[in-house]
Structure formats: structure tokens, C-alpha cells
């Protein structure tokens, strides 16, 4: 698994998946306590919006939303949330789905977190009916400059519906941190939270590891 993703990243000169994206500064504000230990209040975050397969221009793709929550509240390191366009039902929440617009996508964790003995999924949805379309990175950048998009982060369990727990605002485009972070939801998470199931989580970590090695072996693109 690691070798496959290393060679794919090396061939692309970028991440194995979500190879091209744009960086944004943002603010994450907790709305109510949830099953996952999101930080209280409002925190600055680093956000990367991306296209999963790297489809050029405005073509539909599995759109991605990655959020780095900085260390704090007792966490020894950052917490990376890596969400991809998916469904919202019991089965479709675990299936990546292409979207034609940034505001039309439902950005889910795909696999759940295990916290306090429960399986918990995350889902981010743009507020209102604004489609922020088409699925072009340049369209997204213009929209952020004109009117910062607001996304609402929800939690969902196997038996309950989705419940809003936080909101995320993209405030400005940025060139990203230097050095740019490698988003890794497997390694960068609170100690009391794990990705489930464990076997799949181990495979996913090997995929992230291989992708990092492949990127580091070439000159990575700026975004």
C-alpha cells in the first residue's frame, strides 16, 4: 500500500490524491459540545480546498476540505480534519462522491472516529443555498475574496441524525504555511480519539506515508 501511493505521488509530483488545491486562512467556532473534543470558542485554522482526482478546470470531482486545528486545550499537537465530498445517508456517508460545485458538496469524514465508545462521523455543509459553482479552484478563490463562505460542521452517529457542532469561515486566501503541513488525520488527532475500524485505519496510514515519501522525492508544487 505504501509503495503504491509513493509511486503515484512521485509520478504526479504531488499528493497521490487531492494533488491540486488552494490554501485559505479560516476561523473555527464551536457551537455546542459534541462527542469529539473540538476546541471551545473561536480558533484560527489553516484550510486546504482541493480536487480529489485533480480534474482540471471546472470539471466535477471528489472535492476535499482539510482543516488543521492548531495545538491547544491539552493537545500536544495539531488536529487534522480531512473531509471529502460524500453522501449523508447511513451507507452513502462512507462513499466518496463527485460534486459539480463547492457549495453543493457535502464534505464527510468517510470513515468514523471512535470516541467514548461511539462511532462518530463528521460532515461539513455550506450554509444557505449558495452553490459556489462550478468546481473550479479559481472560482472558489474569487468567491472567498468577495464574500467569505460559511460552512457548518455536523456530527452524526450510527443511529442519530446530523447535529451542528461548529462553524467554519474561510476568511482569506493564503500561500499556506512554510513549510506547508502534510495533512494526516491518522497521526494528527487527539490521543483520546481514533479512526475506525482499526484495520482500515492502518491501511490508510500506510497510504498517507507512501504519498508523503513520493512527494518528498520530487519538487512539490506550491499548492
Amino acid at each position: 500500500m505504501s509503495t503504491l501511493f509513493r509511486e503515484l505521488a512521485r509520478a504526479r509530483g504531488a499528493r497521490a490524491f487531492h494533488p491540486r488545491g488552494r490554501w485559505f486562512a479560516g476561523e473555527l467556532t464551536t457551537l455546542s459540545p459534541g462527542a469529539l473534543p473540538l476546541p471551545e470558542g473561536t480558533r484560527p485554522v489553516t484550510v486546504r480546498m482541493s480536487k480529489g482526482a485533480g480534474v482540471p478546470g471546472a470539471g466535477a470531482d471528489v472535492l476535499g476540505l482539510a482543516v488543521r486545528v492548531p495545538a491547544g486545550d491539552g493537545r500536544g499537537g495539531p488536529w487534522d480534519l480531512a473531509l471529502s465530498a460524500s453522501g449523508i445517508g447511513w451507507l452513502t456517508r462512507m462513499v466518496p462522491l463527485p460534486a459539480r460545485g463547492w457549495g453543493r458538496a457535502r464534505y464527510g469524514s468517510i470513515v468514523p472516529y471512535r470516541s467514548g465508545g461511539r462511532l462518530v462521523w463528521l460532515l461539513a455543509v455550506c450554509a444557505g443555498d449558495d452553490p459556489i459553482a462550478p468546481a473550479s479552484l479559481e472560482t472558489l478563490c474569487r468567491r472567498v475574496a468577495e464574500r467569505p463562505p460559511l460552512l457548518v460542521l455536523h456530527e452524526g452517529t450510527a443511529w442519530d441524525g446530523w447535529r451542528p457542532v461548529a462553524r467554519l469561515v474561510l476568511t482569506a486566501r493564503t500561500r499556506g504555511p512554510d513549510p506547508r503541513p502534510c495533512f494526516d488525520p491518522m497521526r494528527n488527532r487527539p490521543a483520546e480519539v481514533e479512526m475506525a475500524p482499526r484495520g482500515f485505519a492502518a491501511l490508510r496510514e500506510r497510504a498517507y506515508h507512501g504519498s508523503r515519501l513520493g512527494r518528498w522525492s520530487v519538487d512539490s508544487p506550491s499548492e
Side-chain angles (χ1 to χ4, degrees):
M1 176 69 74
S2 179
T3 300
L4 172 64
F5 281 82
R6 182 188 66 211
E7 294 306 316
L8 179 56
R10 180 179 295 168
R12 282 185 153 182
R15 295 165 176 81
F17 291 106
H18 297 275
R20 299 293 184 270
R22 297 292 183 270
W23 295 90
F24 300 94
E27 289 184 345
L28 182 72
T29 302
T30 301
L31 300 175
S32 62
L36 299 178
L38 293 172
E40 296 181 0
T42 298
R43 295 293 179 88
V45 293
T46 301
V47 179
R48 185 176 187 266
M49 304 290 287
S50 59
K51 303 189 73 170
V55 174
D61 204 336
V62 178
L63 305 179
L65 166 64
V67 182
R68 169 158 289 184
V69 183
D73 296 334
R75 292 190 307 277
W79 185 4
D80 289 347
L81 307 176
L83 312 178
S84 294
S86 66
I88 61 175
W90 163 233
L91 291 178
T92 58
R93 71 179 65 182
M94 295 180 279
V95 180
L97 297 173
R100 304 187 68 86
W102 301 98
R104 294 191 176 104
R106 305 295 186 260
Y107 303 93
S109 57
I110 307 295
V111 296
Y113 292 89
R114 182 178 284 109
S115 177
R118 291 188 294 171
L119 296 181
V120 183
W121 282 261
L122 286 176
L123 183 76
V125 180
C126 276
D129 298 323
D130 189 346
I132 316 181
S136 158
L137 289 165
E138 301 316 315
T139 296
L140 176 64
C141 290
R142 287 195 297 271
R143 169 55 199 278
V144 171
E146 295 167 359
R147 182 157 52 96
L150 169 64
L151 296 97
V152 180
L153 190 65
H154 298 73
E155 282 186 0
T157 66
W159 311 112
D160 299 325
W162 297 103
R163 185 173 69 87
V165 292
R167 65 173 181 262
L168 171 66
V169 180
L170 305 187
T171 56
R173 184 180 174 187
T174 178
R175 293 294 297 178
D178 189 16
R180 293 173 182 81
C182 292
F183 283 101
D184 189 337
M186 314 307 297
R187 298 194 308 175
N188 298 329
R189 55 180 171 78
E192 67 270 28
V193 172
E194 64 179 359
M195 306 297 291
R198 290 189 178 91
F200 182 81
L203 289 174
R204 193 178 182 190
E205 172 51 32
R206 287 199 287 272
Y208 274 93
H209 177 68
S211 180
R212 286 193 298 271
L213 291 178
R215 288 175 60 203
W216 292 340
S217 67
V218 297
D219 291 332
S220 296
S222 61
E223 298 192 273

